[in-house]
Amino acid sequence: DTGVSQDPRHKITKRGQNVTFRCDPISEHNRLYWYRQTLGQGPEFLTYFQNEAQLEKSRLLSDRFSAERPKGSFSTLEIQRTEQGDSAMYLCASSLLSGSPNYGYTFGSGTRLTVV
Amino acid sequence: AQSVTQPDIHITVSEGASLELRCNYSYGATPYLFWYVQSPGQGLQLLLKYFSGDTLVQGIKGFEAEFKRSQSSFNLRKPSVHWSDAAEYFCAVGGMEYGNKLVFGAGTILRVKS
């Protein structure tokens, strides 16, 4: 297992276009999280899945954002009608359920989105 | 709601000197505490974590952190800094009561001078 994979690493898009990012978690991890990180800030929680169920969404996740995790494996994050304020690093992480001795987040390398 | 404060935006230390990065948290229950490191343009790498038990935890790359409940702190330390430690460091808090999502501090950028 090579850890959490995110694709693409970088995406430049024009304002108003739709973009989709993919995250492949560590295979045995039940939980998958999406975070957004803007310059000079720590990551901010967007949403998380336990298996295929989306259990929580942040208020940061506007109606233009949608995330899926079909079959509880990989996940996609789609942003519709992108705006310049969406420019950020989008980080995916996965974890086992809490209570496991090996509980802890493993982050991917992120997708850097630039909206021009 | 939980929150994390990292009071130092930038810290510069000389190579070989000791390091302490500060982290204070606000959390209503027993926290899970983490330190992550991030190199430019990269994701976050876990340095160490605290769930319970011994309040002094050892991590990778020679880092350690001490949980002090009375001070709501979880400071990161390293006895001798190497130039390769230059990066941004994030403290994070989480717990079962909040669905295990993490709340991060704003980060501390570490510069190492030779």
Side-chain angles (χ1 to χ4, degrees), chain B residues 12-26:
Chain B
T12 300
V13 299
S14 298
E15 191 169 15
S18 64
L19 170 70
E20 182 169 30
L21 302 181
R22 296 183 290 164
C23 173
N24 292 96
Y25 68 91
S26 171

Side-chain angles (χ1 to χ4, degrees), chain B residues 72-83:
Chain B
S72 297
S73 69
F74 189 57
N75 295 347
L76 182 71
R77 301 193 294 249
K78 186 170 184 178
S80 178
V81 169
H82 188 263
W83 64 267

Side-chain angles (χ1 to χ4, degrees), chain A residues 9 31 33 35 37 40-45 48 56 89 91 98-110 112, chain B residues 32 34 36 38 40-46 49 51 88 90 94-96 98-107 109:
Chain A
R9 290 293 308 275
R31 287 192 172 155
Y33 305 79
Y35 283 76
Q37 185 180 20
Q41 299 297 318
E44 296 174 294
F45 169 78
Y48 89 95
E56 187 173 349
M89 174 81 89
L91 294 163
S98 61
S100 161
N102 294 321
Y103 173 70
Y105 281 42
T106 302
F107 280 86
S109 297
R112 168 75 66 188
Chain B
Y32 296 161
F34 304 83
Y36 286 88
Q38 185 178 38
Q42 300 298 312
L44 289 87
Q45 181 183 22
L46 178 67
K49 58 189 178 185
F51 295 159
E88 190 161 16
F90 292 94
M96 295 177 64
Y98 291 93
N100 301 118
K101 62 182 180 287
L102 297 184
V103 173
F104 286 83
I109 297 172

